[in-house]
Amino acid sequence: MMLLRLLLINALGFTWTTVNGMPCSQMFPSQSPPSNVNSVRPSDVAVLSAVGLHMHSTELSTVASRLTELLTLFNPALISPLSDQTNMYSPQFVQHSSLVEQAKEVTQYLQHNQVVDAEKDWKILLLFVQVDQFCACEQQQVQSVVRAVVKDVDDALQLLHSQLKRTIVSVALWDGEHDSFHKKMCPCMETNNEGEVRLLRAMLSQALQESLDELLVKRRWFSDRDDFTVILQDTPFIPDISSVSIGKPLSESQVSQQTDKLLVQMWTNLLQPTNGQHNTDDNGKIIALPCPTEDRPFLRTEANSPSYHHIDESPLVLPFTGTEMPCEDFSPSPSIPATVHELRPGDIKVVAAVGDSLTAGNGIPTSPNNILGVLQQYRGLSWSIGGDENLTSVTTLPNILRYFNQNLTGYSLGIGRQDTPQAFLNQAVAGAKSKDVPEQVRALVARMKNDSKINFETDWKVITLFIGGNDVCDHCYNSLLYSVDNYVRNVRNSLDYLHKEVPRALVNLIEPLHILPLREMHMDASLKCPSWLVNILCPCVILPKTNSQALKMLEDTNRGYQHALNELVESGRYDTRSDFTVVIQPFFREIIVPRLPDGRPDRSYFSADCFHLSQKAQTQMARSLWNNMLEPLGNKTSQQDFSSDIEIKCPTKTSPYIRTFNNSDYSYAGPPPTPGPIQNWGSDFSCVDLAPSDTVPTSVHQLRPADIKVVAALGDSSTAGTGAKAKTVFNLNKEYKGVSWSIGGDKTLETVTTLPNILRMFNPALKGFSKGVGSRQKAFNMAVPGAKTSDIPAQVQVLIKAMRENKDVNFEKDWKLVTILVGGNDLCSYCIDQNNLSPQNYSHNIMLGLDMLHKEVPRLLVNVVELFQIDTLKTVKKNTLGCSLLQRTSCPCVINPAENSPELEVIKRINHKYQAEIQQLISGNRYEGKEDFAVVLQPFLQNSFIPQIGEGEADSSFFSVDCFHISERAHAEMAIALWNNMLEPVGRKQAYNNFTYDRSKIQCPSEANPFIFTKVNSLPSPSVTITTTAASFTTAMSSPASTVLVPLCPPSLPLWVPVIVGILCAMAGIIFAWLILSSRSSRKNEVEKAVELKGTGF
């Protein structure tokens, strides 16, 4: 049995480099069973159990099960009810039982189990508190939930303490099951803004974490006996939120990778901390599990590894947040000005603001140990719109303006959400992004029009718009949704509405703050900031590594937002009448981090979460905004130094007005020059190295673009070119094969962008591309309009026959490239024939075609293009007969169902299943048997984004006259995206296309990567030696895209030598380890069934 266990452990694939043949050097138990809980090693643990699992905790159960497998490496005789195989303890999955009830059942199980010695065996008990089981939509509810949970945990721990001996209880928060079950339990999760929900859940998790920490400090970790203690895992377990941000579930490989990372977090927190124990490579494919070390060999307890406790935090001295008013002349204009360019501070009657949590006032006055205070929206203290107290104690823009006009109105007071009366014209929403601002300005205008204190037509108004931080925070999860173009479009739509609806208004447009300096708050552990919490609120800013490409992309986006707003205002779009203007206020363009005397960032400028800004910072923001308003355009302060002593400026006799372009003698740059009409959809070409391989390659993994001699394509009307250049419905049925994205060859790349025209730049003798209209010059374009995946095998047969019979093609020696895109018609007809058009049949039919190509065609690379999200078609609208009637006829199962209808949701689900099926087919090794054949999935259509020309309306210029078939413009974009995908490594391909026009988007092969990428040549360079440190052992994560380490052998070495040597080494290692382990206690041989180890996923 021991030998069998060693074989199973050996099969897990760990790196065996330590002297005793184990992944860790400290894997053996104490010489004698420890009597003190502070001296327990992982190998001393005989039992692992849990409290707090339930039937919906699928991911948590998987993590717990993998922890069991990991601990079994240290003690093969480990007893655990958490294994998927044993299922020895089912009551822990009871859905509605309290933690106390579950704890009672666990103790009974351990006390009555015949193979467990309750008196002598050391036990680890995981106690999970699942945040997703609690519903809290307001701060008051959060406080009551926290109190109830802490009491439940306290009661459970007291019971365990009284009943169990030799036990370490590890308490952990889990906030992972973001599913429909939780939404049903907590309806406000459906109705609240997505950003508000994220903030609420994050704060609930942090409040629970801090309150449980306080409980354990109060109870002294239940360590009044030497054989029992309780620890709290340092941070909650929170899976990747990217699926929330992109609105799409994680793939199977991403879920597996996420589970592995959560396991590492759980395991790391069980061990005594060591330096450098969190190691992952750049792309997360390789992770390091920490090992016990010689000087830190034990499981963590508070006694052997004291931790930081937030209640030890000394309270901050409240800063002075008032401002002395130095101005003397507060008088308004002699008569109400008719132009915004002669507006004095005293003329302003109404203030208003829109934005996110920084304007809503989240957590402004909170201290470091009051995390729940961040949920409170202190709108009366908000820098641009708050009106609490007066300027001597609270510095805000309204409190400054009230010196000039005591009858000012519109400002917010007290605490509350945007829909409360005291919020008034502060319509900012916590968690809001730029896409939410148009709704805010509509609500704002409605309140202005309906309030009796406001004369909407004659009162002068100052409206402050500040948005963009949350867009940047989520940019890395969906760079299209949060692109610069989309950001400025959302702001433009909001300003357009204000410009159209609101008379007598000056809009302060605040540049998005330069957010990267925020990272400093979370790079210095001595500040005790809850970085895990900010990882949820702003992952794309906190998580990227220094000098990484992700960080550069973030900086470019942040600066792009700032530049785009300036360009929008400089266009003069909002200066078409004298009573309205928009002024950029740039004081946030550069941020200087406030510092303590020792050089560390000063936390007092931040709220308890080290993300939102405190009253101290908001005071400086109000002063800077006021000063910006009085500074002339072209000479405004564009830097925010929070620690400087900012004195507020005053209007002067020579400059009494709030500054606009007109009264600053400033000339706008004007709109960027309007490009001339696009003459064609060609592309520029900048590649230099166009040469083929020195000799014709024999391996598809060494194929250069110039080596390709023949192109071909299979599919439906998208590849046939149906209607691509049609101007009327009469030409709709014509097949413009010469401009087809993957196979067309009309003219040259300069005027027609297609894959063959790109390849002809490398090899002018390329064959197989189609030309013109109709079938006369179709060459190897075998696509048929209306084709479904069931037609692909027949198209393959026709293609093979045509290639064999073509005298210009050397069938055996010429390298060929075939592109396949099909499935749109399957989805369009799915509701009519669900059985034949199932996802399984979809992949099966493609598999049949690929099998034929694999068997019969030598020297072939196949591009399989992943199916697009077809529900996008519903946004393509035009008031024409073609777009209203023909679109419905062409695709009834997508176009006819109403938005959000069950029928449409079914189509979306099947669409995703089609994508998943083809991913699974190609990610396997079915087509890896031949050196001269490869299939590569090109995913650029997976998350396609069609530019919009109005709210929710796609740009119809990408479609033909029926709003269904794609136009020549879309063909060109798809050709570029396909080509660029071919030059990107498998696993790192761009899975989206934004369809923005740019003649210079074609990428080039590089000297380092001259080949078209396949799965094999996408792997990193083979590794010859593998090393581990004493603190960690490294293993590859299991997923279809996992990194594989391939050893290099000299080519002259006979193939049988490494095989024999490997077998002998493995046997020697197994026998050696068996001799050592056989000396272990024989008592565990009473276990009736050894715990089976299945793959840990590493």
Side-chain angles (χ1 to χ4, degrees), residues 1063-1073:
I1063 293 173
L1064 291 175
C1065 290
M1067 292 179 63
I1070 292 169
I1071 293 171
F1072 178 67

Side-chain angles (χ1 to χ4, degrees), residues 686-691 703-705 762 979-980 982-985 1002-1013 1017:
S686 60
C687 303
V688 177
D689 186 3
L690 309 179
L703 188 66
R704 298 172 186 254
F762 294 88
W979 168 255
N980 290 345
M982 292 168 62
L983 298 184
E984 295 166 341
I1002 291 178
Q1003 302 297 318
C1004 297
S1006 65
E1007 186 176 350
N1009 297 298
F1011 308 126
I1012 296 173
F1013 276 102
N1017 63 28

Side-chain angles (χ1 to χ4, degrees), residues 608-622:
D609 60 355
C610 292
F611 177 66
H612 292 90
L613 297 176
S614 69
Q615 189 170 2
K616 193 173 178 181
Q618 295 248 342
T619 295
Q620 298 288 66
M621 290 162 63

